Structure formats: C-alpha cells, structure tokens
Amino acid sequence: MMEERIDDHDYALEHVHQKDKKGFFSMFVVMLGFTFFSASMLTGGNLGTGLPLKDFFIAVVIGNLILACYTGALAYIGADTGLSMHLLARYSFGEKGSYVASFITSITQIGWFGVGIAMFAIPVANRFNINLYLLVAITGILMTATAYFGMKSLTILSAIAVPAIAVLGSTSVAMATSSVGGVQGLMNIEPTTKMALVTAVTLCVGSFISGGTATPDFARFSKNKKVAVSTTVVAFFIGNSLMFLFGAVGAMVTGNSDIADVMFSQGLVIPAILVLGLNIWTTNDNALYTSALGLSNITKLPKKKLVIACGLIGTVGSIWLNNNFTAFLTFLNSMLPPVGGIIIADYFFVKKRKYDTMDNTKFKNINWIAIVAFLVGFIVANVVSVGVIALNAIVTTILVYVIGTKITNR
C-alpha cells in the first residue's frame, strides 16, 4: 500500500503532499482550462438569441458570481485539506456513503466524456468526409492518454489550449461584430425570442455548476488557500464569460450558437477545428480525471488504470451516448450540486473548518443525514422551478444537512 502511495502522484486516496503543490500561474492555467467548456458556448448562444446585449452581460455577471462563490468555497476546502471531492465526501457522507457521491460523479463524467468526443468527431467527420468511427477512436485515445498522466499533462494541455482558444475565438467574435457595424450594431440586434433575466441566470449557473462540484479535485494542488480561491474565482469570471460571449455573438449575428459552425461560415476552417478540439479536450480530460478519482475511492484501485477503463467505455460508447444518453446525463447533473452543498455545509458550518487528517479520523459507515439532505436537494432541483434552480438545491441541501446534524447531535 505504501508503495502505491509513493507512485501515486495524483493522490487518489490521500492528501496532496506539499512538494507537489503548485503556485498561482500553474493553477490559473489549469482552472481556466477547466472553465473552457463547449456547452457553455451553446448556452451563450441561447442567451444571445433571447436577450439584448446589456441584459446578456447582467445575466453573465450574476451567474458567474454565483458560480464563483460555490466553486470558490469548494476550492478553499480542497486547498486546506489537500483532498479530492470524493475523499472530502467521506467526512460528511461517511466511508460507504461517499461511494454514492463518487458513483454519480463518475458515471456522469464518463458519459459527458463520450458525448464530448462525439461533439468533436461528428462535425469534423462530416466536414472532411472522414470515417466517423476512426476519428472517434483516435480522439478518444489522445484524450485518454493526456488524462492518464494526471495534473502534469492537464497543466501542459491547458497552457496550450487556453491562449489558442482565447485568440481564435476572439478573432471570430471580432469578425462577426465587424460584419454588423461594430458593437453598436450588436446592441441594435433585437432578440429572436424573449427570455426572462432569471431564466438567463439559471442557464448561466446550470451550464457549469455540476462540473464545478469537482473543483476540489484540482484546487487541492494549490500552494495555499489564497491561490486556490483566487485562481478559481478569476478563472470562472474570465473563462466562463469568454465562452458565453463566443457563443452569444455568433448566435446574435448568424443565428447559430455553435461556434464551430460560425467559424466554418467565416472561412476559419482550421481555427474552428482547433477551437472545438482543444475546448473539448480540456473539458474531457478534466471529466476523465474526476471520474477515475471517484472510482478509485470506491474500488481502491490505482487512478491510472481507471482512467484507461473510463476512457475506453466513453470512447466505445461515444456515438450511442450522444444519441441516447444526453437527457439522462442532464438529469444526473442535477444530483451533483447537492453533493457540493453537503461538503460546504459540513466543512464550514458543522466542523467549523476543522478536519482532522484521514489517518486520524474514524469515519461513519453511512451518514444518513447527508443522504436525506442529498435527496431533498435533488428533489428541489427537479421540482421547484422558481428562482435559480441549482442555487435553490444547494441552499436547501445546506439547511437540511446543518439542521438535521444539530438535531441528531443533541
């Protein structure tokens, strides 16, 4: 067991050692890559066709503020403890109870990994008349290979992808803006549909709050809590805002929220492939990394072997997942914010930021208060449609967990 720990540079089953902690720049690059998410551009497209430009920016600022508070709190916990989201769940859910959080997260992230491969392979294969399944296989192998090497390769990939996506995406936005006479032309475009501001904020938050639940998996490598929180919060404001903006401007000008299609129509074929590919690659690597950590928590198997297994499942099932599984994955996504809510509630409000080390902690088998709070939060996310749905679920989960814990501890 000791030998496994020495070789495990991703610390799947223990806290990150100080020698492997990273400074501001390395963590900022990783967290930016984490927030560069293709689905956020599609959300931006929906916002762009439903809101005037001024309301679009208001919705994005409010949505990102909510996301920044949520992910910032989780980043603080991850950096303070050096533990992944899955290991943190043991403190609140219990040893076996944490398997629920890990299983849901892993299944969801493997599913989105497969969908991500299809999102890249299908348009590229159609555009260049390449065999779809060959392209899926090559894409899956490459993405799995970088996730296999963990944080080191995630840092390198993000350092390449982030500036490339930012520059190429901004070029497309500048061309689209110029085609309608500049910023004033954009502001004069009337929305094709009417969207309420609260709906827009809900879409902004919902686009990434489930992925944001895995923030501790990456923030635990931060040199200190200040680095973790600052890189996470700034990355969400910059990264998420850029993704929304790229999608919104393209949709406002062309009526198409898919930036790859917009760039194809602008004659930016190679840049379109690079933006789409690198964007999905950074997202998929983070998804695969998180899913392997979750399954490692359950099985106690090495994370690297599980990355290969998860990558294989996601790649083989890619087209099927894209055609049949997306609605179910969206349903599963509503389970993840309550997990983050319970981790936040336990750390800040119940344990008052005082977690003992894992070796010195005797975990419960299952903490049923956490299970009940999780189920209540999940129900609220799927039943209550007033306000910002994900925020309702998180706040409800925190209240149920804190009150339930206080009652049972009397």
Side-chain angles (χ1 to χ4, degrees), residues 122-135:
I122 291 171
V124 174
N126 289 341
R127 179 80 185 186
F128 296 100
N129 199 26
I130 301 170
N131 182 280
L132 175 60
Y133 294 98
L134 177 63
L135 189 56

Side-chain angles (χ1 to χ4, degrees), residues 209-245:
I209 200 157
S210 296
T213 304
T215 298
D217 292 353
F218 309 99
R220 66 197 171 116
F221 283 92
S222 299
K223 187 167 64 176
N224 53 48
K225 297 186 285 288
K226 185 177 179 182
V227 168
V229 175
S230 60
T231 53
T232 300
V233 170
V234 175
F236 264 90
F237 268 97
I238 294 176
N240 238 19
S241 297
L242 278 178
M243 294 302 100
F244 289 139
L245 187 64

Side-chain angles (χ1 to χ4, degrees), residues 86-367:
H86 310 280
L87 298 183
L88 286 169
R90 293 186 186 184
Y91 288 84
S92 47
F93 283 84
E95 173 85 32
K96 297 287 194 295
S98 71
Y99 297 174
V100 174
S102 292
F103 182 75
I104 293 167
T105 306
S106 298
I107 291 298
T108 306
Q109 297 308 304
I110 292 169
W112 283 121
F113 175 81
V115 170
I117 291 173
M119 284 174 67
F120 172 75
I122 291 171
V124 174
N126 289 341
R127 179 80 185 186
F128 296 100
N129 199 26
I130 301 170
N131 182 280
L132 175 60
Y133 294 98
L134 177 63
L135 189 56
V136 163
I138 293 170
T139 304
I141 290 168
L142 288 173
M143 291 179 176
T144 302
T146 47
Y148 177 84
F149 293 104
M151 277 298 289
K152 191 170 184 178
S153 61
L154 289 180
T155 305
I156 295 169
L157 177 63
S158 295
I160 297 168
V162 165
I165 295 167
V167 170
L168 296 173
S170 297
T171 301
S172 173
V173 167
M175 289 175 66
T177 303
S178 176
S179 72
V180 292
V183 175
Q184 189 59 50
L186 277 181
M187 295 186 74
N188 292 336
I189 294 175
E190 288 293 323
T192 55
T193 57
K194 277 285 183 182
M195 182 183 293
L197 189 61
V198 69
T199 304
V201 173
T202 297
L203 284 173
C204 287
V205 174
S207 70
F208 207 77
I209 200 157
S210 296
T213 304
T215 298
D217 292 353
F218 309 99
R220 66 197 171 116
F221 283 92
S222 299
K223 187 167 64 176
N224 53 48
K225 297 186 285 288
K226 185 177 179 182
V227 168
V229 175
S230 60
T231 53
T232 300
V233 170
V234 175
F236 264 90
F237 268 97
I238 294 176
N240 238 19
S241 297
L242 278 178
M243 294 302 100
F244 289 139
L245 187 64
F246 290 171
V249 172
M252 290 169 76
V253 174
T254 68
N256 192 336
S257 60
D258 189 324
I259 191 169
D261 286 343
V262 171
M263 292 176 78
F264 282 152
S265 68
Q266 293 171 323
L268 302 171
V269 178
I270 300 303
I273 293 169
L274 286 172
V275 167
L276 185 65
L278 290 173
N279 200 320
I280 291 172
W281 200 335
T282 56
T283 303
N284 266 12
D285 265 21
N286 290 321
L288 208 54
Y289 181 80
T290 295
S291 63
L293 288 176
L295 293 179
S296 184
N297 179 45
I298 298 170
T299 65
K300 309 301 183 284
L301 292 172
K303 170 240 154 199
K304 285 188 174 182
K305 291 181 179 178
L306 291 167
V307 164
I308 295 172
C310 294
L312 182 64
I313 293 168
T315 302
V316 170
S318 175
I319 303 302
W320 182 85
L321 286 165
N322 186 62
N323 293 337
N324 301 285
F325 205 50
T326 308
F328 185 58
L329 285 172
T330 304
F331 172 74
L332 286 177
N333 269 355
S334 62
M335 292 184 175
L336 296 182
V339 171
I342 288 168
I343 290 172
I344 290 169
D346 188 70
Y347 178 83
F348 285 107
F349 304 119
V350 175
K351 306 285 175 41
K352 310 292 184 184
R353 295 186 293 174
K354 292 176 182 175
Y355 274 3
D356 207 345
T357 62
M358 286 183 63
D359 290 338
N360 294 329
T361 302
K362 184 172 173 55
F363 295 108
K364 291 181 179 179
N365 205 23
I366 298 175
N367 181 5

Side-chain angles (χ1 to χ4, degrees), residues 365-394:
N365 205 23
I366 298 175
N367 181 5
W368 290 105
I369 298 298
I371 300 297
V372 170
F374 165 76
L375 290 173
V376 172
F378 172 64
I379 291 168
V380 166
N382 286 280
V383 173
V384 179
S385 56
V386 179
V388 180
I389 293 168
L391 188 59
N392 294 343
I394 292 167

